[in-house]
Every structure is written in structure tokens, then in C-alpha cells.
Amino acid sequence: MNLAVVRTDTGPRVVVRRRGDEVVQTAYRSLRAALEANLQHSHALREGAPVDPATLEFAPVADRDAKVFCIGHNYRAHIREMGHDLPTHPNVFSKFGSALVGATDAIELDRAAAQWDWEAELAVVIGGRTRRVTPQAARAQIAGYTVANDISARDWQRRSSQWLLGKTFEKTTPVGPWLVTPDEVDPEDGLDVRCLVDGVEKQAASTADLLFRPAFLVSYLSQVLTLEPGDVVLTGTPGGVGAARTPAERLTPGQTVRTEIDGLGCLVNTCIGTGSPEQVPTSTGTTSA
Amino acid sequence: MNLAVVRTDTGPRVVVRRRGDEVVQTAYRSLRAALEANLQHSHALREGAPVDPATLEFAPVADRDAKVFCIGHNYRAHIREMGHDLPTHPNVFSKFGSALVGATDAIELDRAAAQWDWEAELAVVIGGRTRRVTPQAARAQIAGYTVANDISARDWQRRSSQWLLGKTFEKTTPVGPWLVTPDEVDPEDGLDVRCLVDGVEKQAASTADLLFRPAFLVSYLSQVLTLEPGDVVLTGTPGGVGAARTPAERLTPGQTVRTEIDGLGCLVNTCIGTGSPEQVPTSTGTTSA
């Protein structure tokens, strides 16, 4: 089964696609509501009006108030090529829901930042309330998988030790188009992840190379707080980001980023410039305002 | 004017206290709704039923879905005593709303972490939608100030470069009891911030020593994303945290943490132990689950 959130004249709606079936539009207005209903009765997502797949306008596969976790340094080959030891624990940060965009939306490159970069990633969507579970039990809490690109402003990310602001500029992070349920695909089997910029391949790896796998990550996060239906975990990016290239590369307005994972689907997002170059009041910000 | 969110039999409600006035319970169920109504008409928060202040059960002064920003390294004396140069930009991270507790709630010290620590902080609450404003304009976007303690699990915070998980354990971070509006108090004048553990003073500083002041922080964050009514910014902690003491000190179940800021109020929270010691499946998490 595949789920998506689409924009309609009456707000967001969840649509469902089954293998060989048409797409139907359900009554659910959030991914969370749809996933909760699906837990309660297995027919919850079978009813709806058929819609033309060609007309779907994809919103992010995540509600605005979903928790969004991100993992740094999670592909073995990339960690080793950068000369690092394998980490003993996941490196976890977050971004706010306002950073997310849909599968074909524009990526907004704010002129307040200068060093925009790509990060193709497998994303995991939580299916039920999850707290203090083992990795074994965590598998059953995964609603499915989708595609994301953790577009990053490297200059803001590196201004201080904490990466948040470089990761959470508004309308930068495509997530979608479809959530694909685990009965159809398993990242542990190895799914090819690719990122292309203007048609040129920049990243290519297999999810089999993930150091911390989806079920482990869900288990680990659940030791700290309760995961809820619709929460999202971006599992980290493989090698080939612009900042690690020689010479370094950056995304610029007008470029198109294609992010694809076999068995899951494809994001196609064009970059546009927004805002103005930053005008920091003083270098230390101590001007009395 | 002072605002608080209290727990009632019918869910959270916003209450209002004016200088010399009684406390009234409004119809608003979230801080965000109350702040938005207050922007629309100045009498929005004048109507309500009187309630006995002695019976108030404080919830966090922040809605569950508020964005919560935190600032690291922001008191000059503390930065210098640690031997660091003054940073050129704020070091910003976040926590999830599920980490917050009310002014007299228990602080839950999860046994999955071992090194619990205190961090008394001034918190800023946003009053209106705020995007790309100057520090001067940011002042008008501040709904008010309150008290917070960014209780931290140092061992989890230091497992990797990103601090999020050590900062967002459930029910660890008291925020409240009252939001105090800027007409009554101005942190730039210098408010004394104190943290006492079992009656022993551990932190004492003045908000006049803040490197990045509230209006600057609001302006800075608004360059990246839209701040909304009820969003919260914890502005950083002064010296005297347990981890920086010789020998290092830790919070343990049974201890009471008192966090106070002159002109704003006081948090009194007792620590309790929850959960179980962590059982990490393997040191690298690569066990197939």
C-alpha cells in the first residue's frame, strides 16, 4: 500500500494507492489521522473516491506538526572515506515541519545562506505510539518508507557546533511522494539511493550500507521520548555531497535536484532563490535593540 | 499582565493575572490562541471567571506543538571562565514540546541516562508571526518572558556532536509559571537568575550578561523560519552547572530544583527516577533487528 498527502481545494487529504489499483482520496486530513485509523481497523484506508493520479499535487509525506528527526554520519563507506571511525551511537538532530516541501515543489534557497548542498536520504515514517521498544519490536512500529533530501545550508550549519539552523530553513526539504508500506519494500535488503543535480549523478549508494538501520533508530529514539504516528526519521546521507567534493560544489537557483530510491519513488525539485542576503546587525549581536 | 496555562477538568486553559487584580480563567485552550486573540483586540484577555490562585495547577507556558529553541553559550562570564572566545553567532538547538513540564511538576530523570544536570534560563515567548525582522522590530514580537530550566542528560548530550537527545527526554524541562509581559519587566535591565538544588545555590547571574539578547535572538531566528505565537526561546544558562564543577555534580531522584528570576517568578520541581537503565542492543547498533 502507498499513502500520500495531497493538496485539494478543501485542504490536505490523504490518498491511497494499492498495487494494480486506482488511487482513492480518503476523508483523512492528516497522515497521522490516517495512520491512527489504519491501526484501529484494517479497512479504514479502503474507502474513498477515485482520483486521477496525473492530477495529484503532493504535499510532504509528514504533517506540519510531526516530529522530524535526522541522523548524521550513517553510511559506512562515507564515514570511512572521510577518515572517521564508525560512531558508537547515532548522531541525532531535528528540523521543524515548516522546512518540508512536497515531491515536486520548489526548494527555496534563501539568499541569507550561501552554501546550499544536497543530501539524499531514506526516510522512515512511524505508524503507532512507540516508547522504549527493542529493535525487534520497533519493526512493527514502522508505517513505511519514503524519499527525502535534507537540503542543507553549510555556512549556517557550521557557524556553531549545533546544526539546527542550517537544516531548518523554510521550504527546503522535500519528502515524498509516497509512503510505501514495509510489506512492499525492505531497506535492509539494500535499496539504491541516488541524487542527481541537473541530470548529473552526485550520490549513489545502497541502504544496505546503513550503519544504524531503521528499526534500530526507532528503538533508540523511543528510549528518549514517545514517537507518534506520522513522525519521520531521515536516516542520513551517503557520500557525494557538494561540500565534500574537490572543488566543493553548491546548489544554485535554477538547478533541478532529483532524489530517488528504488522501490520508493522519486522527488524532482527545482531550486529557486528567496529572501535577501543576511544583514547581521553586528558580528556579536550585542547591539542593544 | 501575566499569562499562564493551567490544567482543568476540561483540559488546558489560559488564565490571566493583572497587577493588583484577581486571576481570571479565559476560554482559550492554548497559549497560541490566547496570544493571537490578544493581537486582534486588546480586550480579548479581560473576560473570564475568577479563579482561586491557590488552586492553579500550572502546565508549561508553551503549547505542546510550539517550536522550542535553545541557545548554548550565551553568558559572557561563563564563556570566558570556560576559556572560550565569545562566539560570533548564537549556537541554536531545539527540543520537542513533550520535554516540557509545569512549574511545580516532577522532573523525570530517566535511568537510561546517568548524568543529569541543571541549566537555569530566561525564556522568551513569541507574540505574533515573525519573519525576517530586525532586532529593533523583534522587540514588538515578544509576548513576554518566563523561567525555564533546560535539564540535560550530559552523557546522552555528549555521545555525538549534536545535543538533541540529551536535551529532549520526556518531562524534563520546567517552563513557567507565568508569562510576564514586557511592560512589566525588561531583561536588558538585568534580572537576577538563580538555580538552587535542595536549597543550595548553584547558579547566580544577571541577564545583563547575556551576549545575544532576546530581541537579537528573535531577529536571528526569524531569518531562517517563521516564528509563531507561543513559540519559545530558551536563552542559555550561566555558569555553575554540575558538569563544570570540581568535582562534577549530578541531579538525582529526590532532589528539588528551584529556578528563579527576579520579576518573573519561580519554578520548584522535584526529581523522580523513571524508566530503566539503557540496554543498547550492540555498541554500533548494527544487529539486524
Side-chain angles (χ1 to χ4, degrees), chain A residues 212-231:
Chain A
F212 301 108
R213 297 181 186 186
F216 178 83
L217 292 171
V218 171
S219 167
Y220 188 71
L221 296 172
S222 82
Q223 308 307 312
V224 172
L225 75 178
T226 305
L227 303 173
E228 295 168 297
D231 286 349

Side-chain angles (χ1 to χ4, degrees), chain B residues 71-76 78-79 118-122 148-150 154 167 193 195 203 205 210 234-241:
Chain B
I71 312 298
H73 311 141
N74 202 17
Y75 280 84
R76 288 189 190 87
H78 179 50
I79 296 167
W118 52 84
E119 291 198 349
E121 306 201 6
L122 170 74
N149 200 314
D150 179 19
R154 300 292 180 207
K167 297 287 194 172
V193 180
C195 181
Q203 297 183 280
L210 278 170
L234 275 58
T235 59
T237 201
V241 299

Side-chain angles (χ1 to χ4, degrees), chain A residues 239-250:
Chain A
V241 299
R245 292 174 169 268
T246 307
E249 296 179 23
R250 300 174 182 184

Side-chain angles (χ1 to χ4, degrees), chain A residues 115-119 152-158 167 241 243:
Chain A
Q115 299 174 9
W116 288 103
D117 204 350
W118 52 84
E119 291 197 351
S152 304
R154 300 290 182 209
D155 43 348
W156 281 67
Q157 181 183 346
R158 293 171 177 167
K167 297 289 194 170
V241 299

Side-chain angles (χ1 to χ4, degrees), chain B residues 161-201:
Chain B
S161 74
Q162 301 302 294
W163 303 341
L164 175 70
L165 292 188
K167 297 287 194 172
T168 200
F169 272 86
E170 269 180 17
K171 298 186 180 173
T172 50
T173 306
V175 181
W178 295 93
L179 180 165
V180 179
T181 50
D183 57 305
E184 293 189 15
V185 68
D186 186 350
E188 300 218 5
D189 293 340
L191 307 176
D192 286 340
V193 180
R194 281 180 299 277
C195 181
L196 297 88
V197 178
D198 284 346
V200 179
E201 186 176 281

Side-chain angles (χ1 to χ4, degrees), chain B residues 107-111 116 151 171-172 251-253 271-274:
Chain B
I107 293 169
E108 298 195 2
L109 304 184
D110 198 308
R111 296 185 184 89
W116 287 103
I151 301 289
K171 298 186 180 173
T172 50
L251 279 177
T252 55
C271 299
I272 61 173
T274 59

Side-chain angles (χ1 to χ4, degrees), chain B residues 1-8 11-18 22-35 45 51-53 55-63 101-104 125 143-147 175-181 264 266-267:
Chain B
M1 183 171 68
N2 304 162
L3 297 177
V5 184
V6 300
R7 302 185 182 107
T8 77
R13 290 297 174 92
V14 173
V15 298
V16 177
R17 181 175 72 178
R18 286 191 170 72
E22 58 195 354
V23 177
V24 299
Q25 181 175 311
T26 73
Y28 299 105
R29 296 181 176 279
S30 71
L31 190 61
R32 179 172 179 164
L35 293 171
L45 298 179
V51 289
D52 178 358
T55 66
L56 298 177
E57 190 187 326
F58 291 101
V61 182
D63 302 322
V101 296
T104 58
V125 181
Y145 304 97
T146 191
V147 186
V175 181
W178 295 93
L179 180 165
V180 179
T181 50
L264 294 179
C266 181
L267 306 165

